[in-house]
Amino acid sequence: MKTPHVRFVILAAFSFSLLAILSITFLSSSNAKGQTVPASGTIPPPVIYTWTTWGAQQYAVADAGDDFWIGTSGSIVRWHKPSQSYQRYSGVDGLPHRHVYAVAVDRAGNRWFGGDGGLSLLDINEVWTHFTPANSGLQSTLIDGIAVGDDNTLWVSHGLPDGPVSRRNPDGSWTWFPSRAAAVTSDYARIVQTQNQNPLWAVTEGAVWVDFLVYDGTQWLDRKPGDVTEAPSKVMSAAGSVWALARAGLYDVN
């Protein structure tokens, strides 16, 4: 019969051996960050994210392939991704805006910018054209949102949330509506094919959202959550759902 001292030594040795085996197994299967090490024994390189800070007063962005367009205070910034370089357009280049609040790109590749100086177009030939109520059918000089339809129709908002909306047709003709809801009711068939995320409305599964109101082509439905009393500051569609940001929180309202 083994003495208590011998039993203790054997137990301690067994425990130490088990701990060593477990430690070796753990270290051979994971690196210091807890990532699984491939069978070859190589450790995958960490994912490195690089942040670029653009500063305050950046109001709108649009992705256009190699170029990323940013509407700012006093200028438009064109960030060229392949070269990691930028070009700035401002009043020196004839830009009529002190603040650029909206940016959009249509299917033809034309770049559209809205601000406190009307609507500006930089076409695919790099030629600028500026629209104001004086030379076009725009209802107002202030533009704070641009929605682009599948056929390149533009809807521009003049003072969200309750201001009027101007529509520019592909043939260059204009009309305007007293509100976003009026535009949706009139132009539902085209608006439901809106191509870009924009502050005028969100589109998902054949319905158009104007804040918490939803138009399905025949009627308006109120989808406001019970604990919300004010209109959301932003509504957008993503992956078949609609997300609304309100003072009370962020809502998935689908």
Side-chain angles (χ1 to χ4, degrees):
M1 178 179 296
K2 295 180 176 66
T3 65
H5 176 72
V6 174
R7 287 199 300 269
F8 174 78
V9 171
I10 293 174
L11 181 60
F14 175 77
S15 300
F16 179 79
S17 299
L18 180 61
L19 179 61
I21 292 171
L22 292 175
S23 298
I24 293 171
T25 302
F26 175 77
L27 291 174
S28 66
S29 63
S30 303
N31 62 16
K33 294 184 178 180
Q35 296 174 312
T36 300
V37 177
S40 62
T42 59
I43 299 175
V47 177
I48 299 175
Y49 298 96
T50 301
W51 286 94
T52 301
T53 302
W54 292 94
Q57 293 185 311
Q58 319 298 316
Y59 301 113
V61 297
D63 194 347
D66 285 344
D67 292 319
F68 196 66
W69 295 89
I70 308 170
T72 78
S73 177
S75 67
I76 295 166
V77 175
R78 178 184 199 166
W79 176 256
H80 188 60
K81 301 174 193 175
S83 65
Q84 294 289 287
S85 62
Y86 73 90
Q87 181 178 2
R88 188 180 298 274
Y89 304 88
S90 65
V92 176
D93 306 292
L95 194 70
H97 312 283
R98 291 176 300 172
H99 303 282
V100 179
Y101 298 123
V103 181
V105 181
D106 66 24
R107 281 191 176 275
N110 299 302
R111 287 65 53 98
W112 296 90
F113 308 93
D116 54 8
L119 181 69
S120 296
L121 162 65
L122 179 61
D123 67 20
I124 57 176
N125 298 313
E126 303 298 309
V127 175
W128 284 97
T129 304
H130 305 291
F131 303 92
T132 67
N135 66 3
S136 72
L138 276 175
Q139 199 275 338
S140 170
T141 301
L142 173 64
I143 294 175
D144 51 7
I146 303 173
V148 182
D150 185 59
D151 61 353
N152 292 338
T153 298
L154 294 186
W155 295 268
V156 298
S157 55
H158 304 294
L160 293 168
D162 300 320
V165 172
S166 294
R167 183 187 72 203
R168 183 181 189 273
N169 295 308
D171 64 3
S173 61
W174 295 83
T175 189
W176 67 277
F177 307 92
S179 66
R180 290 179 291 157
V184 171
T185 302
S186 174
D187 287 352
Y188 168 78
R190 284 188 287 179
I191 287 176
V192 79
Q193 299 180 57
T194 297
Q195 296 298 305
N196 65 319
Q197 297 283 356
N198 65 87
L200 283 80
W201 42 67
V203 177
T204 182
E205 298 181 351
V208 181
W209 292 70
V210 176
D211 298 334
F212 288 122
L213 296 176
V214 187
Y215 189 69
D216 62 5
T218 58
Q219 62 181 333
W220 286 95
L221 303 172
D222 190 347
R223 297 293 301 277
K224 183 185 295 181
D227 59 342
V228 175
T229 58
E230 77 285 345
S233 58
K234 186 175 182 62
V235 176
M236 67 177 293
S237 59
S241 294
V242 174
W243 296 85
L245 180 63
R247 187 177 303 173
L250 178 65
Y251 296 84
D252 177 358
V253 292
N254 224 19

